């Protein structure tokens, strides 16, 4: 908690002047060393109530006049004092005092201000200079507090973004694990089947080898040869290689297809999660679209058909994993917006200065009151536990950091279209503009 410097730290306990004191005497007192710091001296009545302030400037004006001292010197000071001095109660807060004083301050400053106790009795003088110093240190203290709050805020924002990333990473990993499981399952089955089917073939090979040995061995007895022949014939009947050929071909083909799918998924995952080498990398956004689609496949496949219309694009400097994060969020949002099986159309194209990607869905769309809030952090219409509402606000920030733009058009019942545009920057332009 911040310590509030009390107003009494500004209090200068200057002895007040009685109302009857002469102007000359006041002038002499003002010259005394202990009064050097003051622009004025206070005048009070017998009870100690402040009557006014007699300022150095006023006295100076009088004594500069010809015969000023003779004409005015003996008169009581009340005749030349400021009868409406600025009174500030000691119980006032520093801010309130500063507000009151600055509101009435005249330039040049001719007077100090009088500090009074709650009964209105004179306590001492305060100077504007002291007040300004106190306010300055207060502002510096506030600044320090604010700066710390800003650092804390930035830190928690980074943590939030990080945990959102982790959450989507978790979802993604679960999705990919599920995707891997299907081909892995039938590759395993096929390998088991292949093992079962090839066992009689191996037995046939053994029997035929034994028969061959017998035939080549002149010492082999007739009886043994007959036995070997019989065993080889039985093994051939059991193995029935002519019937196996088709099955084996099919099984090997399926297994290869499964392994290829597993390979693609792993590659997609690697592409998707690659660590960005700053923004110096030049990337084909179509690759980002493809790898994001691969990752989003589990969440999309039961919800919508994906139609791609990708033009050839110039490579641009960007952080691909961040762009992937944006695309994944747009694709997931599109899939989650489907009430019935629908369509997600992803297009890419470029012009002389920008590269564009649009993601359009035939989902439920958004009413204007939702549409205007979708980029707000934590805004979500999804049930608790399903959406954090950070996806689009993070996407917005990422695209903004890339110098691009993200726009949206939506119609309830018809669908939504997000359009992302990124500047056609090459790595060299990036370095030059950095
Ligand atoms: N394609 C879309 N169609 C309809 N509504 C959408 C679409 N995209 C976003 N919205 C709306 O915008 C809201 C905010 O989206 P955002 O991606 O920021 O968060 P979320 O998807 O709710 O949560 P998270 O992304 O953290 O899973 C969504 O809750 C939804 O109401
Ligand atoms: Mg989202």
């Amino acid at each position: 908690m911040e310590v509030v410097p009390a107003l009494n730290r500004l209090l200068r306990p200057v002895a007040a002047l009685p109302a009857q004191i002469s102007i000359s005497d006041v002038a002499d007192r003002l010259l005394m060393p202990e009064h050097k710091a003051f622009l004025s001296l206070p005048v009070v009545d017998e009870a100690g109530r402040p009557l006014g302030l007699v300022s150095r400037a006023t006295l100076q004006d009088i004594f500069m006049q010809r015969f000023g001292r003779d004409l005015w010197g003996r008169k009581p000071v009340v005749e030349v004092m400021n009868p409406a001095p600025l009174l500030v109660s000691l119980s006032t807060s520093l801010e309130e005092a500063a507000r009151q004083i600055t509101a009435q301050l005249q330039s040049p400053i001719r007077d100090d201000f009088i500090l009074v106790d709650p009964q209105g009795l004179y306590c001492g003088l305060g100077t504007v200079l002291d007040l300004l110093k106190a306010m300055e240190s207060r502002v510096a203290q506030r600044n320090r507090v604010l700066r710390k709050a800003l650092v804390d805020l930035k830190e928690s924002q980074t943590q939030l973004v990080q945990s959102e990333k982790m959450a989507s990473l978790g979802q993604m990993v679960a999705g990919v694990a599920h995707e891997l499981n299907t081909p892995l399952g039938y590759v395993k089955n096929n390998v088991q089947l292949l093992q079962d089917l090839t066992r009689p073939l191996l037995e046939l090979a053994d029997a035929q080898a034994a028969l061959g040995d017998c035939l080549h061995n002149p010492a082999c007895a007739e009886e043994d040869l007959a036995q070997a022949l019989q065993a080889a014939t039985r093994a051939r009947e059991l193995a029935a290689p002519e019937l196996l050929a088709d099955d084996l071909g099919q099984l090997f083909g399926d297994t290869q297809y499964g392994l290829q799918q597993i390979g693609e998924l792993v590659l997609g995952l690697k592409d998707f999660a690659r660590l960005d080498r700053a923004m110096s990398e030049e990337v084909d956004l179509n690759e980002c679209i493809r790898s994001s689609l691969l990752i989003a496949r589990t969440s999309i496949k039961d919800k919508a058909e994906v139609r791609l219309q990708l033009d050839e694009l110039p490579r641009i400097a960007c952080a691909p994993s961040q762009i992937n994060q944006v695309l994944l969020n747009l694709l997931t949002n599109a899939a989650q917006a489907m009430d019935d099986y629908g369509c997600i159309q992803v297009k890419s194209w470029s012009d002389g200065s920008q590269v564009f990607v649009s993601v359009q869905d035939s989902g439920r769309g958004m009413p204007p009151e939702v549409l205007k809030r979708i980029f707000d952090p934590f805004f979500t219409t999804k049930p608790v536990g399903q959406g954090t509402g950070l996806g689009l606000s993070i996407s917005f920030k990422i695209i903004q950091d890339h110098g691009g733009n993200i726009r949206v058009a939506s119609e309830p019942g018809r669908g939504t279209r997000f359009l992302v545009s990124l500047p056609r920057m090459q790595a060299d332009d990036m370095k030059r503009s950095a």
Side-chain angles (χ1 to χ4, degrees):
M1 191 52 205
E2 195 188 353
V3 184
V4 182
L7 195 57
N8 59 19
R9 276 183 41 195
L10 302 185
L11 180 75
R12 307 269 205 120
V14 179
L17 308 169
Q20 305 75 24
I21 192 168
S22 74
I23 292 175
S24 263
D25 285 348
V26 178
D28 292 341
R29 291 217 190 169
L30 262 174
L31 292 176
M32 280 151 62
E34 67 264 33
H35 294 146
K36 277 264 164 64
F38 299 98
L39 293 174
S40 49
L41 287 178
V43 181
V44 297
D45 64 12
E46 301 82 44
R49 274 188 297 268
L51 292 175
L53 275 170
V54 45
S55 76
R56 205 177 275 278
T58 311
L59 292 189
Q60 226 164 32
D61 289 348
I62 290 171
F63 289 113
M64 297 279 279
Q65 286 171 25
R66 230 172 155 206
F67 309 118
R69 192 168 193 126
D70 298 331
L71 287 171
W72 289 87
R74 284 173 209 281
K75 294 190 179 175
V77 78
V78 285
E79 292 204 12
V80 293
M81 72 184 183
N82 167 11
L86 193 58
L87 302 184
V88 181
S89 164
L90 261 181
S91 57
T92 316
S93 72
L94 190 64
E95 278 81 4
E96 178 55 24
R99 209 182 54 71
Q100 279 180 26
I101 291 161
T102 47
Q104 299 187 36
L105 211 59
Q106 282 171 4
S107 178
I109 306 167
R110 291 168 69 106
D111 281 345
D112 301 300
F113 53 92
I114 293 182
L115 290 161
V116 291
D117 69 8
Q119 284 73 47
L121 298 182
Y122 172 77
C123 298
L125 268 189
T127 72
V128 172
L129 203 66
D130 286 347
L131 177 76
L132 292 179
K133 274 191 201 148
M135 289 306 288
E136 192 183 294
S137 81
R138 169 69 66 91
V139 169
Q141 193 182 6
R142 287 260 161 88
N143 273 351
R144 273 195 299 280
V145 173
L146 281 178
R147 216 171 297 128
K148 178 159 183 330
L150 187 69
V151 170
D152 289 353
L153 206 63
K154 278 199 175 146
E155 213 164 88
S156 54
Q157 190 192 27
T158 318
Q159 273 172 5
L160 213 58
V161 171
Q162 209 52 35
S163 58
E164 158 72 6
K165 265 192 193 161
M166 291 311 286
S168 53
L169 199 69
Q171 264 178 13
M172 194 181 87
V173 168
V176 172
H178 177 265
E179 282 290 280
L180 280 174
N181 225 17
T182 317
L184 195 68
Y186 67 74
V187 164
K188 251 179 167 170
N189 279 343
N190 287 1
V191 170
Q192 181 68 49
L193 261 173
L194 283 168
Q195 206 175 21
D196 292 349
L197 288 177
T198 49
R199 197 170 298 119
L201 285 179
L202 295 175
E203 282 165 10
L204 172 61
D206 282 348
Q208 286 184 337
L211 178 62
D213 287 347
C214 250
L215 285 172
H216 285 105
N217 181 3
C220 181
E222 276 296 306
E223 211 174 296
D224 291 342
L225 182 64
Q227 222 173 35
L229 190 61
Q230 202 181 2
T233 314
R234 200 167 346 108
R236 194 176 185 304
E237 278 166 13
L238 283 175
E242 63 285 353
L243 299 178
L244 269 185
D246 281 353
D247 286 353
L248 286 181
Q250 178 85 33
L251 279 173
F252 276 121
D254 286 355
T255 307
Q256 252 163 358
Y257 177 72
L259 289 174
Q260 191 186 327
Q261 269 196 319
I262 292 175
E264 267 176 27
L265 274 168
V266 170
L267 196 71
L269 202 57
K270 260 168 51 190
D271 265 359
F272 189 85
R274 67 181 148 184
L275 293 174
D276 295 331
R277 281 141 265 166
M279 299 265 270
S280 57
E281 200 171 355
E282 284 180 5
V283 178
D284 178 353
L285 283 195
N286 286 338
E287 284 172 19
C288 292
I289 295 175
R290 288 199 192 91
S291 78
S292 305
L293 271 170
L294 206 63
I295 298 302
R297 192 157 62 181
T298 336
S299 21
I300 297 179
K301 71 175 177 218
D302 301 328
K303 300 283 187 70
E305 165 204 1
V306 176
R307 284 191 209 144
L308 288 181
Q309 197 178 316
L310 309 181
D311 279 6
E312 203 169 305
L313 298 179
R315 298 178 86 83
I316 57 163
C318 68
S321 77
Q322 292 185 6
I323 301 296
N324 286 348
Q325 201 182 344
V326 173
L327 293 173
L328 182 64
N329 187 46
L330 294 183
L331 292 168
T332 319
N333 281 350
Q336 288 172 339
M338 298 293 172
D339 288 326
D340 305 311
Y341 191 79
C343 173
I344 300 175
Q345 209 165 21
V346 185
K347 289 188 191 169
S348 69
W349 69 100
S350 65
D351 66 14
S353 59
Q354 295 182 91
V355 177
F356 302 90
V357 177
S358 75
V359 177
Q360 181 168 1
D361 65 63
S362 61
R364 69 183 78 98
M366 288 175 264
E369 64 275 13
V370 169
L371 195 59
K372 66 174 187 253
R373 298 186 57 197
I374 56 171
F375 294 109
D376 292 352
F378 301 112
F379 175 78
T380 181
T381 55
K382 293 169 192 169
V384 179
Q386 251 194 44
T388 61
L390 281 173
L392 282 177
S393 76
I394 290 175
S395 304
F396 187 86
K397 172 95 175 50
I398 291 175
I399 298 300
Q400 203 181 33
D401 287 349
H402 278 76
N405 222 319
I406 179 164
R407 271 163 289 179
V408 57
S410 187
E411 210 177 305
R414 297 210 46 198
T416 303
R417 178 174 186 255
F418 280 91
L419 175 64
V420 174
S421 57
L422 288 168
R424 243 179 110 152
M425 278 241 240
Q426 252 85 64
D428 288 348
D429 306 329
M430 211 77 196
K431 269 178 234 148
R432 244 173 275 136
S433 69

